[in-house]
Amino acid sequence: SQQGEEDPQALSIQEGENATMNCSYKTSINNLQWYRQNSGRGLVHLILIRSNEREKHSGRLRVTLDTSKKSSSLLITASRAADTASYFCATRGSRLTFGEGTQLTVNP
Amino acid sequence: DGGITQSPKYLFRKEGQNVTLSCEQNLNHDAMYWYRQDPGQGLRLIYYSQIVNDFQKGDIAEGYSVSREKKESFPLTVTSAQKNPTAFYLCASSIRQGVYEQYFGPGTRLTVT
């Protein structure tokens, strides 16, 4: 079964707004990764946060990890229409396990 | 230009036929993976390989087979035993099997009628 579960399933915002996606998981992990998938394409790795880290930034992306709550969030600031995609969290235990994703739509 | 290639992008087959999906990487990665993605869902692991001549079953290996005769190549065969083969298939690789990020190919959409 999928370990990571993203919330919300779908999110629609206006360009310039911030987008926040959440991921919850069930068992202990080594790291948590976020990936992006444009429609009909392969996944692209965005950011990896280790279990001993609490926050990580990469450009307009900010990821937090709370291991006590077994949850992570991905914040995209100042969103653009080109950010429209599905976003997946993937948790690394013995292997990488993907959630079902959040479909983000950024309207121009 | 390094990366992972999958071919073909679209594949159509009749029920009862085996079909082989190609995956090649020139990243010099040891580990390679095959995932299946159904509409609106996440990825499910079919098979993975940590090194040449070695591969392990993932969560949904039934009806699939793989080989890893070369470091660069990890073909997936969808056999007639796979009950619902129509799906989007993604190949990925990583430096080694473990805590590393994975690099994905563009995917192959297989339709079986």
Side-chain angles (χ1 to χ4, degrees), chain B residues 36-103:
Chain B
R36 170 185 172 133
Q37 186 178 33
D38 291 285
Q41 297 192 26
L43 279 63
R44 292 184 288 169
L45 182 64
I46 305 172
Y47 268 98
Y48 65 100
S49 168
Q50 298 185 60
I51 200 164
V52 175
N53 293 322
D54 172 78
F55 49 84
Q56 309 292 333
K57 291 182 179 180
D59 299 320
I60 55 165
E62 187 175 346
Y64 300 98
S65 65
V66 293
S67 62
R68 187 85 186 278
E69 297 175 2
K70 298 188 298 181
K71 188 174 186 177
E72 304 80 20
S73 179
F74 191 40
L76 172 75
T77 297
V78 184
T79 75
S80 56
Q82 168 49 233
K83 291 182 171 50
N84 297 298
T86 295
F88 190 49
Y89 290 88
L90 287 158
C91 179
S93 71
S94 62
I95 294 173
R96 284 182 292 283
Q97 206 278 333
V99 299
Y100 307 97
E101 67 188 76
Q102 294 185 7
Y103 294 78

Side-chain angles (χ1 to χ4, degrees), chain A residues 40-107:
Chain A
R41 308 290 292 274
L43 276 70
V44 175
H45 181 265
L46 294 176
I47 198 163
L48 181 154
I49 186 165
R50 293 182 174 79
S51 59
N52 61 353
E53 297 176 309
R54 292 296 168 258
E55 188 171 311
K56 204 159 182 181
H57 296 255
S58 176
R60 293 184 296 112
L61 305 180
R62 173 178 168 249
V63 169
T64 62
L65 179 63
D66 186 335
T67 53
S68 66
K69 295 181 179 177
K70 291 187 170 57
S71 67
S72 172
S73 67
L74 170 67
L75 169 67
I76 303 174
T77 61
S79 65
R80 305 166 182 166
D83 294 328
T84 294
S86 292
Y87 292 82
F88 295 89
C89 71
T91 51
R92 166 62 74 181
S94 59
R95 60 173 70 155
L96 199 60
T97 305
F98 289 83
E100 295 191 353
T102 292
Q103 172 61 52
L104 173 66
T105 301
V106 181
N107 301 298

Side-chain angles (χ1 to χ4, degrees), chain B residues 6-18:
Chain B
Q6 290 184 243
S7 61
K9 188 170 176 62
Y10 299 97
L11 190 54
F12 297 88
R13 279 293 183 270
K14 294 289 187 186
E15 199 172 320
Q17 293 179 335
N18 292 355

